[in-house]
Amino acid sequence: MTTPITAAGSAAELTDDELMAAYAWDAPAGEPVRPHLRFNFVASADGAAAIDGRSGALGDGADHRVFELLRRTCDVILVGAGTVRAEGYAGALLGTESQAWRTGHGMPAHPGFALVSGTLNLDPDSPLFEQAPVRPLILTAATAPADRRAALERVGDVVVAGERTVEPEAAAAVLAQHGFQRVLSEGGPRLFGSFQTAGLVDDLCLTVSPLMAAGSALRITAGAPEAVPPRRLELAHVLRGGDTLLLRYRRPAGRNPEEAQTSSSPSATT
Ligand SMILES: NC(=O)c1ccc[n+]([C@@H]2O[C@H](COP(=O)([O-])OP(=O)(O)OC[C@H]3O[C@@H](n4cnc5c(N)ncnc54)[C@H](OP(=O)(O)O)[C@@H]3O)[C@@H](O)[C@H]2O)c1
């Protein structure tokens, strides 16, 4: 049975088509045209991005429904190697209904799959690669060990997109060259941190789970050694599925990343 989702303040249950419309992909402004970069996360009400090292316990039926619909309409799923190692991605990442929807809309049955790893510490014989419905794109740095790169080239397309780390701008350019315009990143926190630092987050889909996790769990963003000032987001919608909130934030329209910085950031005048 489908988990009911409504707009906040409304009792009308949203259909899948209405949900997909609520999560429509906006074309990023400016030149050159680059892919739309959307990040999707779930967090507890007290900000935890994982419980016991994984995100599974944070999601519920409403989160899973939106998670699947976001995958349904994207060109490529982008994940960091830490998320792959923790969450064990393998096999088809979409249900048969979503695959049929895609082919019915002139899209390939499966979205592309791109993963980001600086070290290439990935097992080419793992189910991720053995069961992949499409050949993965592996974005790495020039400093990645040559032997690991050679091993992974058997099972995926390995592309260098940065010297010591994967540079988000270079990664976005590689994704565009592969024909991927609607990029859905499912994290994790360090990948998100690097894209935030680069000012390349167009859209943040955030499920707030009605749970408190306590402890010192990680947040949805991490890393980012060269901290940037907080950036303001525009709230695109608030949906709810029972006690779960499904928020969509996006980059404020018509403003560049610097203009979008929050005016409430600490000033340097003291
Ligand atoms: N709540 C949620 O929605 C959600 C979503 C995703 C993940 N998670 C949780 O987050 C945790 C994993 O966190 P994480 O920060 O390790 O995840 P992550 O960002 O997926 O993985 C970090 C790793 O990805 C690679 N990476 C990311 N950005 C890079 C860059 N710019 N350049 C080069 N390599 C880059 C590196 O891999 P190498 O080490 O191979 O170089 C790095 O160690 C898990 O507990 C997972 O369950 C939660």
Side-chain angles (χ1 to χ4, degrees):
M1 204 185 80
T2 310
T3 305
I5 294 176
T6 62
S10 162
E13 292 180 17
L14 297 171
T15 64
D16 284 353
D17 283 343
E18 288 167 338
L19 279 172
M20 286 187 280
Y23 288 98
W25 295 82
D26 310 321
E31 292 289 337
V33 175
R34 61 164 180 80
H36 181 124
L37 294 158
R38 165 176 288 172
F39 285 76
N40 183 31
F41 282 96
V42 59
S44 67
D46 61 347
I51 293 178
D52 294 333
R54 299 180 65 165
S55 61
L58 292 164
D60 61 5
D63 178 58
H64 296 163
R65 187 172 167 204
V66 167
F67 188 86
E68 172 84 6
L69 292 176
L70 293 182
R71 282 185 171 183
R72 184 184 281 187
T73 58
C74 77
D75 293 330
V76 65
I77 296 168
L78 174 72
V79 284
T83 296
V84 164
R85 290 189 284 257
E87 306 279 349
Y89 280 66
L93 299 178
L94 272 184
T96 50
E97 189 185 338
S98 291
Q99 291 175 37
W101 185 94
R102 288 174 64 88
T103 51
H105 287 77
M107 300 168 80
H110 298 277
F113 184 76
L115 69 99
V116 175
S117 170
T119 64
L120 293 183
N121 182 15
L122 299 158
D123 178 2
D125 297 320
S126 63
L128 167 71
F129 297 110
E130 283 190 342
Q131 298 168 14
V134 292
R135 190 172 165 84
L137 174 63
I138 304 166
L139 301 166
T140 192
T143 49
D147 56 339
R148 289 185 184 166
R149 181 173 169 168
L152 286 164
E153 279 169 345
R154 277 195 295 111
V155 293
D157 294 333
V158 184
V159 179
V160 170
E163 266 315 299
R164 306 180 72 81
T165 63
V166 172
E167 300 294 341
E169 294 88 348
V174 171
L175 292 167
Q177 283 157 14
H178 281 71
F180 300 136
Q181 281 301 318
R182 293 170 289 195
V183 179
L184 171 64
S185 179
E186 296 176 354
R190 273 181 282 175
L191 185 68
F192 188 40
S194 65
F195 275 75
Q196 278 186 58
T197 303
L200 285 180
V201 177
D202 296 307
D203 212 329
L204 170 60
C205 302
L206 176 64
T207 298
V208 181
S209 168
L211 289 173
M212 292 193 290
S216 54
L218 73 168
R219 297 163 51 211
I220 64 168
T221 191
E226 63 281 31
V228 292
R231 288 196 170 92
R232 184 168 289 282
L233 295 168
E234 181 179 280
L235 182 63
H237 70 223
V238 180
L239 308 179
R240 59 179 294 181
D243 292 330
T244 296
L245 287 180
L246 302 148
L247 310 177
R248 179 185 175 195
Y249 293 101
R250 61 183 163 214
R251 181 196 298 275
R255 305 164 93 185
N256 66 34
E258 282 66 41
E259 289 169 335
Q261 285 170 10
T262 174
S263 56
S264 61
S265 6
S267 79
T269 54
T270 48

